[in-house]
Amino acid sequence: MVIKVFLASSSGSTAIKKKQQDVVGFLEALKVDYTPLDIACNEDNRMWMRQNVPEDKKPANGIPLPPQIFNEESYCGDYDTFFDAKEDNLVYTFLGLPPPPGSKEAEQADKDNIVENGTHAEENLDDTIEGQAEEEEEQEEEDLQSEEEEELRQLESAPCGQGLKSGGGRGRRRRVGRNTGGRGGVVEAKRC
């Protein structure tokens, strides 16, 4: 894959010169192979660049200014999009190149550990753990409710004035709720 950077060697604009230097300098620092194509001296380069910049990326006057960056025939972007990618440590993604091992972009990709369906493995793990915790909590609540319903049936079926003993049976009144986990003894007398 060849990265093509369209430049103007004889631009009168200092802003364009600085932008071109910024792009070229950064690509050289990253040791990215690129081909500089001059649009000032070569009419074919200028026409190719103008025709291949997507319409929605062209300025209001319809004439894109250098630097414009392509990966082979595929448009990558202009200076502003390059700068955004540089700030986000996504230059290789911007250029359509695989990040080299050890680069910030490769480390970020390793951290994200994106799985095939487009979600992050960490998110899947969190969802699984959270789902298991919720299921366990729901099961505990159902078990507690079943115990309480059984005690209520026993209490209702007991003769008047007799107590119903359940749990530990120590004669203490049981507090039902999350803090006790539903354990302890209860002595209740059926009221008549």
Side-chain angles (χ1 to χ4, degrees):
M1 290 186 245
V2 177
I3 302 301
K4 299 176 182 177
V5 182
F6 288 86
L7 310 166
S9 60
S10 60
S11 174
S13 168
T14 55
I16 289 176
K17 287 179 185 178
K18 285 182 181 182
K19 289 177 181 180
Q20 291 176 160
Q21 289 172 348
D22 191 21
V23 170
V24 169
F26 198 76
L27 292 176
E28 287 175 355
L30 292 178
K31 298 180 179 159
V32 172
D33 291 330
Y34 71 95
T35 303
L37 299 169
D38 190 2
I39 64 168
C41 298
N42 188 322
E43 186 66 27
D44 291 337
N45 287 343
R46 181 186 357 234
M47 294 310 294
W48 191 93
M49 181 193 80
R50 288 182 178 176
Q51 291 171 353
N52 288 288
V53 171
E55 289 297 322
D56 61 323
K57 304 293 183 183
K58 290 183 180 178
N61 69 2
I63 301 171
L65 299 174
Q68 296 292 329
I69 306 159
F70 290 81
N71 182 337
E72 296 286 342
E73 310 294 315
S74 176
Y75 181 70
C76 297
D78 60 2
Y79 174 78
D80 293 330
T81 52
F82 174 82
F83 182 80
D84 291 342
K86 182 174 131 180
E87 290 293 310
D88 295 336
N89 290 322
L90 296 172
V91 173
Y92 291 100
T93 301
F94 167 80
L95 296 172
L97 300 173
S103 69
K104 288 183 180 180
E105 202 167 334
E107 290 172 8
Q108 185 63 36
D110 289 343
K111 275 184 185 178
D112 292 345
N113 194 16
I114 299 174
V115 290
E116 288 181 22
N117 66 359
T119 61
H120 291 24
E122 295 161 351
E123 291 174 1
N124 288 342
L125 181 60
D126 290 345
D127 291 346
T128 302
I129 292 170
E130 189 176 296
Q132 288 174 346
E134 287 176 5
E135 287 176 17
E136 289 173 6
E137 189 174 308
E138 289 173 7
Q139 185 62 43
E140 286 176 12
E141 289 177 12
E142 288 175 12
D143 291 346
L144 181 60
Q145 187 175 2
S146 295
E147 285 177 23
E148 290 172 350
E149 289 172 356
E150 180 60 30
E151 288 176 10
L152 183 59
R153 278 193 288 275
Q154 288 178 4
L155 186 60
E156 289 174 349
S157 65
C160 234
Q162 287 190 338
L164 169 68
K165 209 173 198 181
S166 67
R170 296 196 172 180
R172 290 180 290 170
R173 187 167 257 305
R174 178 173 125 186
R175 289 185 299 161
V176 177
R178 292 181 148 260
N179 293 339
T180 63
R183 291 181 284 286
V186 176
V187 176
E188 299 247 354
K190 184 175 182 181
R191 294 185 187 131
C192 301

